[in-house]
Amino acid sequence: YGIIFLHHIYYKPATCIIDGVMDTILAAFIASAIGQIDILAYNLRNFDVLAERKRKRDLQKRTGILRNKKHYIHYTLKKSIVHYNSIIRYVLMIESAFSLASVLQFMLSVMVLCLVGIQFLSIENPRSHPMQIAWMAIYLTCMLIEVFILCWFGNELILKSLELRQAAFDGPWLKMDPKTTMFIVIFLERSKRPLRVTAGKIFTLSLNTYTYLINWSYKAFAVM
């Protein structure tokens, strides 16, 4: 009995910690992508300043062939485009890794919300079971928050990726040469499509999906 008691003491907290980490790891990866988008937006707004810093560093080092300012501007914009491509690949990698788990979590969340609602209505005298109702309410709240976190970060990813177009447009590209202008125009066209993470290519992680999830749960609960 002592071994079983120690086992229960160990595995229950460990299970809670592991479950919490697994539920938030997708949100953490999406948050890192959002951070990279913020960095890219800053670079696009200030590519002329970054190019000048690069030119001054090369002047101080006196290494290689010193080129004009136009070369450094093109170099900075090319790095920004490479950075954007890396962010796209990173988001696709996140989606491919967590796509199946996310769609299963969404479906299970709908089932759990329905079952909790049915269990709540099955209580004949709610006033005589306050602890049971409290635990059910806490569990239901945790399930809603768990799905909301994923949808909120997914929605932020969409909004931040859409802001890249404005960031590129806010840069001083109108004062530059035609080649630099072409870089920005191509980037503006490519960034029209926002970055997003989907669950099984069915659900897009966004606040709209969270609203639909609540609606589906209520409809399924009403049918049951």
Side-chain angles (χ1 to χ4, degrees), residues 2-188:
I3 295 175
I4 296 175
F5 178 73
L6 292 175
H7 176 264
H8 277 269
I9 291 176
Y10 168 76
Y11 97 88
K12 286 188 176 180
T15 302
C16 293
I17 294 172
I18 294 172
D19 185 63
V21 171
M22 293 301 295
D23 288 339
T24 56
I25 190 170
L26 175 57
F29 283 133
I30 297 176
S32 65
I34 294 172
Q36 291 298 318
I37 291 175
D38 286 334
I39 295 173
L40 178 58
Y42 175 82
N43 293 340
L44 290 171
R45 287 191 178 97
N46 304 278
F47 66 86
D48 58 335
V49 177
L50 298 176
E52 183 63 22
R53 290 177 183 174
K54 173 67 175 174
R55 190 179 70 85
K56 289 181 178 180
R57 284 197 299 267
D58 287 351
L59 284 174
Q60 292 175 357
K61 293 179 181 178
R62 299 183 182 275
T63 57
I65 301 174
L66 298 179
R67 303 179 184 272
N68 56 15
K69 185 177 180 180
K70 187 185 300 184
H71 166 78
Y72 289 100
I73 289 176
H74 294 168
Y75 172 79
T76 303
L77 289 176
K78 287 178 182 178
K79 283 188 63 178
S80 297
I81 293 173
V82 171
H83 189 190
Y84 183 61
N85 290 334
S86 300
I87 295 173
I88 293 175
R89 289 195 301 269
Y90 179 66
V91 172
L92 292 176
M93 183 179 65
I94 294 173
E95 182 177 333
S96 63
F98 294 94
S99 180
L100 180 60
S102 298
V103 71
L104 290 176
Q105 184 175 6
F106 272 81
M107 293 179 178
L108 290 175
S109 297
V110 173
M111 294 176 59
V112 168
L113 293 175
C114 296
L115 293 175
V116 170
I118 293 173
Q119 187 177 1
F120 179 79
L121 292 179
S122 64
I123 301 175
E124 296 181 358
N125 189 7
R127 293 183 179 180
S128 61
H129 301 83
M131 290 301 298
Q132 184 178 359
I133 294 175
W135 281 113
M136 289 171 58
I138 293 172
Y139 181 71
L140 183 63
T141 303
C142 291
M143 290 297 299
L144 292 174
I145 293 175
E146 179 182 350
V147 179
F148 175 78
I149 290 174
L150 296 179
C151 292
W152 187 83
F153 276 100
N155 194 75
E156 284 295 305
L157 177 65
I158 295 173
L159 296 179
K160 288 292 184 180
S161 61
L162 289 174
E163 291 177 3
L164 282 176
R165 295 187 66 210
Q166 187 62 42
F169 188 80
D170 290 341
W173 61 284
L174 293 175
K175 304 176 183 178
M176 302 299 169
D177 60 286
K179 188 175 181 179
T180 303
T181 304
M182 182 186 65
F183 276 125
I184 299 298
V185 170
I186 293 174
F187 183 85
L188 289 174

